[in-house]
Amino acid sequence: MPTKTFFNLKEDKRKRVETALIHEFGKGSFEQASITNIVNEAKIPRGSFYQYFVDKEDAVTYLIHKFILLEHQKIYEALIEKNGDIFETALRIYDYRTKDTILNFDIGLARNILEELRRNNINIFENKDILKKEESLTKYINKDSLKINSEEDLYYFIRILTAIVRSVTVEVFSERISKEEGRKMLEKELEIIKKGIEK
Amino acid sequence: MPTKTFFNLKEDKRKRVETALIHEFGKGSFEQASITNIVNEAKIPRGSFYQYFVDKEDAVTYLIHKFILLEHQKIYEALIEKNGDIFETALRIYDYRTKDTILNFDIGLARNILEELRRNNINIFENKDILKKEESLTKYINKDSLKINSEEDLYYFIRILTAIVRSVTVEVFSERISKEEGRKMLEKELEIIKKGIEK
DNA sequence: TCCTTTTTATGACGCTTTGTCATTTTTTGT
DNA sequence: ACAAAAAATGACAAAGCGTCATAAAAAGGA
C-alpha cells in the first residue's frame, strides 16, 4: 500500500499521479510499465514516486485494490437488480466489463487487472485480503432454483462461474473474439452449467 | 523459434542451454527471468544466447511449444486409458500435473507455462498454432454419455473443463491449497458440471 | 594441403530502467 | 521566529537487454 505521504498529497497532484498510473499500467503488462513514463506524465521527480510507493508492485497493488472495491460494488448492484439470479448477474457483469470504459478505469487497465486477478486466483465475490468479512456477496444470491445443499456447494459453484466469466472477458479484451461473440459463448457455457452435461 | 544454429549445436551444449532455460524460467515469472543468469549457468558467452534466440521471448516460446507437444501426448494417452471418459481424463491430467516433476520439466516452469497458456487462452486440446489440424483430441472423447448435439456444444464443454482444471492446478502450484485439497475441489466442480446446478 | 567462404563464438559497449540516498525545501507546531 | 518533522529532488549506482565489430572454427574447393 502507498505511504501516508501519498494520501496526504493535495488533490491535484494525487490525481495527476493516479492518472499517470492508469495510463501506464493500462498500456502493456505490469512488468512493461515504466516508472520513468509515470513520473514524466505526472510531472513529479523520480524520487517522489518512491516517496509515495515502495516500488512498482506497490503502485499496482493500489490500483488493483481500488478496482476490486469498485467491482464488488458493481456486482452487488447487479445482484440486487436481478433479484439474486446469479446467471443473469454473470451476464450483467460481462456486459459492463466489456463496455468501453469500466468505472474510472481505462479498458486496457481493466484487462491487465483481470489477468492479474486470474493469475492469482483472486475471487471478487469474497476476497479476504481486501474486503471485510461481512461484505461477502453470496448472501444476496437466490438459492431457491439452485441444487445447492451447503455453503461448500455454493462456493464451488461460484468458483466455476467466476472462472468462466473471466475467461471470456479476457478473450474479448485480447481481441481474439468480439464483444458479441463473447456474449454468445458465455450464454452457451452458462447453459451447460445450468443443465449439466451428463445424459 | 530458435535459430538453425541452436539446433545444430552439439548435444552437450544444447542440453546445457535448455537446462539453464528451464531453471531460470521456472524460478519466477518470465519477465523476471534474467539472461545473465541463463548464460552463466549454461557457461556460454552472452553473445551466443543471441545467436541462438532472437530474444528472451523467443526462448520462452521454444519451451512453451515443447511443453504443449508433451502435454498433448499425455492427454492423448490419458483419453485412451480412460476409454474416452473426459471426466476421468480431467482428473488424470490434474494428477500428473501436480506430480513433483512433469515430464522433463521442473514444476516451477510448468506453473509458469500454465499461467502463460491461460493468459493467452491457449487450449491444449486443439491448438492451431502448434499442433497439426488432424491432431485434435476431441475425436477420442466418448460422447455417448454426454448431452452434446453438435461440435459446437463439445467445444464449449471443453472450454469449461480446461478452465477448471487449469484453475485448480495453478492454485496448487501457488501453494494456496494442497494437492489433496485441489483434487477434492476438482472432483466437486466436475460433479457440478455433470449434474448441472439448476433444480 | 592450402586458401577461401561460411558459420559460429565472444565479450565490451551503448542504452535503458530501477531503486537509493544525501541534500534541500516546505510545512507544522510551539 | 525557530526547531523539528515531513516532503521533494535529481544525481547516481547497479543491473539488465540486445548490438556489433572482431576473432575463431568449420566447411568446401582446387
Side-chain angles (χ1 to χ4, degrees):
Chain A
M1 277 283 99
T3 59
K4 190 165 56 62
T5 310
F6 176 70
F7 292 109
N8 287 343
L9 243 43
K10 277 189 221 135
E11 180 81 10
D12 170 59
K13 195 189 239 183
R14 211 191 64 245
K15 278 281 172 207
R16 249 169 36 229
V17 174
E18 265 182 24
T19 307
L21 287 179
I22 289 174
H23 284 171
E24 186 61 17
F25 285 122
K27 275 197 330 205
S29 74
F30 287 144
E31 257 94 356
Q32 283 162 3
S34 146
I35 285 166
T36 306
N37 289 348
I38 294 170
V39 298
N40 286 347
E41 181 177 337
K43 294 206 169 53
I44 57 167
R46 183 171 196 79
S48 287
F49 181 91
Y50 290 94
Q51 202 92 7
Y52 306 152
F53 307 101
V54 175
D55 53 18
K56 197 157 81 169
E57 185 74 26
D58 191 37
V60 171
T61 306
Y62 170 65
L63 286 184
I64 291 182
H65 280 213
K66 269 194 97 163
F67 182 84
I68 288 184
L69 289 172
L70 287 163
E71 276 259 312
H72 189 267
Q73 174 64 18
K74 211 73 191 177
I75 297 175
Y76 168 78
E77 285 168 20
L79 265 173
I80 299 298
E81 182 192 324
K82 301 294 181 186
N83 294 311
D85 183 325
I86 186 71
F87 293 102
E88 286 295 320
T89 301
L91 284 168
R92 190 90 169 75
I93 292 167
Y94 171 84
D95 285 339
Y96 114 80
R97 276 192 188 158
T98 53
K99 268 190 192 147
D100 292 334
T101 49
I102 299 181
L103 309 163
N104 302 328
F105 289 93
D106 191 68
I107 192 122
L109 180 61
R111 185 193 60 223
N112 288 337
I113 289 185
L114 283 175
E115 265 173 21
E116 193 69 13
L117 296 183
R118 199 169 66 159
R119 181 201 287 241
N120 298 308
N121 260 90
I122 292 175
N123 189 327
I124 291 183
F125 261 84
E126 24 200 339
N127 185 281
K128 282 150 202 142
D129 296 327
I130 297 160
L131 305 170
K132 291 182 201 114
K133 197 168 186 178
E134 64 272 21
E135 281 174 340
S136 163
L137 290 171
T138 52
K139 57 174 172 285
Y140 300 108
I141 297 172
N142 178 1
K143 291 141 205 118
D144 294 345
S145 58
L146 302 177
K147 280 194 282 188
I148 283 186
N149 301 315
S150 60
E151 276 296 311
E152 210 197 354
D153 284 356
L154 185 59
Y155 169 70
Y156 291 119
F157 174 48
I158 289 176
R159 277 175 55 90
I160 294 173
L161 275 190
T162 307
I164 289 171
V165 175
R166 256 185 211 163
S167 170
V168 180
T169 312
V170 171
E171 273 175 286
V172 173
F173 283 164
S174 66
E175 293 173 356
R176 219 184 339 273
I177 56 176
S178 75
K179 235 184 274 193
E180 292 71 23
E181 284 171 319
R183 198 176 203 281
K184 274 184 205 137
M185 288 167 84
L186 181 57
E187 283 169 16
K188 285 268 190 186
E189 289 173 22
L190 291 178
E191 209 54 36
I192 292 177
I193 308 283
K194 263 188 199 169
K195 309 282 191 209
I197 196 79
E198 208 176 44
K199 253 185 199 160
Chain B
M1 276 282 99
T3 61
K4 193 166 54 63
T5 310
F6 177 68
F7 291 111
N8 287 342
L9 245 42
K10 279 191 218 130
E11 180 81 10
D12 171 58
K13 197 189 238 183
R14 211 192 63 247
K15 277 282 170 207
R16 248 165 40 224
V17 174
E18 264 183 25
T19 307
L21 287 178
I22 290 174
H23 284 171
E24 186 62 17
F25 284 122
K27 276 195 333 203
S29 74
F30 287 140
E31 257 97 353
Q32 283 162 3
S34 146
I35 285 167
T36 306
N37 288 350
I38 292 169
V39 299
N40 286 347
E41 180 177 338
K43 293 204 168 50
I44 56 167
R46 186 173 193 77
S48 287
F49 181 91
Y50 290 94
Q51 203 92 4
Y52 307 149
F53 307 100
V54 176
D55 54 17
K56 196 157 82 171
E57 186 73 26
D58 190 37
V60 170
T61 307
Y62 170 64
L63 286 184
I64 290 182
H65 281 212
K66 270 194 93 162
F67 182 84
I68 288 185
L69 289 173
L70 287 164
E71 276 257 314
H72 188 267
Q73 174 65 19
K74 210 73 190 175
I75 296 175
Y76 168 76
E77 286 169 18
L79 264 173
I80 300 297
E81 182 192 324
K82 301 294 184 187
N83 294 311
D85 183 326
I86 186 71
F87 293 102
E88 286 295 319
T89 301
L91 284 167
R92 191 90 169 73
I93 294 168
Y94 172 83
D95 284 340
Y96 115 80
R97 276 192 188 156
T98 52
K99 268 189 192 147
D100 291 335
T101 49
I102 300 182
L103 309 165
N104 302 326
F105 289 92
D106 191 66
I107 193 124
L109 179 61
R111 185 193 59 223
N112 287 337
I113 289 186
L114 283 175
E115 265 172 20
E116 194 68 12
L117 296 182
R118 198 169 64 160
R119 180 201 287 240
N120 297 308
N121 260 91
I122 293 175
N123 188 327
I124 290 184
F125 261 85
E126 23 201 340
N127 186 279
K128 283 149 203 144
D129 296 327
I130 296 161
L131 305 170
K132 294 185 198 110
K133 198 170 184 176
E134 65 272 20
E135 283 175 337
S136 164
L137 290 171
T138 52
K139 58 173 174 284
Y140 301 108
I141 296 173
N142 179 2
K143 292 141 202 120
D144 294 345
S145 59
L146 301 177
K147 279 194 284 187
I148 283 186
N149 301 315
S150 61
E151 274 297 309
E152 211 198 353
D153 283 356
L154 185 59
Y155 169 70
Y156 291 119
F157 173 48
I158 289 176
R159 276 174 57 88
I160 294 174
L161 274 191
T162 307
I164 289 173
V165 174
R166 257 186 209 162
S167 171
V168 180
T169 312
V170 171
E171 274 176 286
V172 172
F173 283 164
S174 67
E175 294 175 355
R176 221 185 336 275
I177 55 175
S178 74
K179 236 185 274 193
E180 294 70 25
E181 284 172 320
R183 197 173 204 283
K184 274 185 204 136
M185 288 167 83
L186 180 57
E187 283 169 15
K188 285 269 190 187
E189 289 172 23
L190 291 177
E191 209 55 37
I192 291 177
I193 309 285
K194 266 188 199 169
K195 310 279 191 211
I197 196 78
E198 207 176 45
K199 254 184 198 160

Coordinates of all heavy atoms in Angstrom, one line a residue, chain A residues 35 51 56 76:
Chain A
I35 N 8.4 3.4 -14.8 CA 8.3 4.4 -13.8 C 8.7 5.7 -14.4 O 8.1 6.8 -14.1 CB 9.0 4.0 -12.6 CG1 8.2 2.9 -11.9 CG2 9.2 5.2 -11.7 CD1 9.0 2.2 -10.8
Q51 N 8.8 8.0 -2.8 CA 8.3 8.6 -1.5 C 6.8 8.1 -1.3 O 6.4 8.0 -0.2 CB 8.4 10.1 -1.6 CG 8.4 10.8 -0.2 CD 9.9 11.0 0.2 OE1 10.8 10.8 -0.5 NE2 10.0 11.4 1.4
K56 N 7.3 -0.5 -7.8 CA 6.3 -0.6 -8.8 C 5.1 -1.5 -8.4 O 4.0 -1.1 -8.6 CB 7.0 -1.2 -10.1 CG 6.2 -1.0 -11.3 CD 7.1 -1.0 -12.6 CE 7.4 -2.4 -13.0 NZ 8.0 -2.5 -14.3
Y76 N -22.6 -6.2 -6.5 CA -23.7 -6.1 -5.5 C -25.0 -5.4 -6.2 O -26.1 -6.0 -6.1 CB -23.2 -5.2 -4.4 CG -24.3 -4.7 -3.4 CD1 -24.9 -5.6 -2.5 CD2 -24.8 -3.4 -3.5 CE1 -25.9 -5.2 -1.6 CE2 -25.9 -3.0 -2.7 CZ -26.4 -3.9 -1.8 OH -27.4 -3.5 -0.9

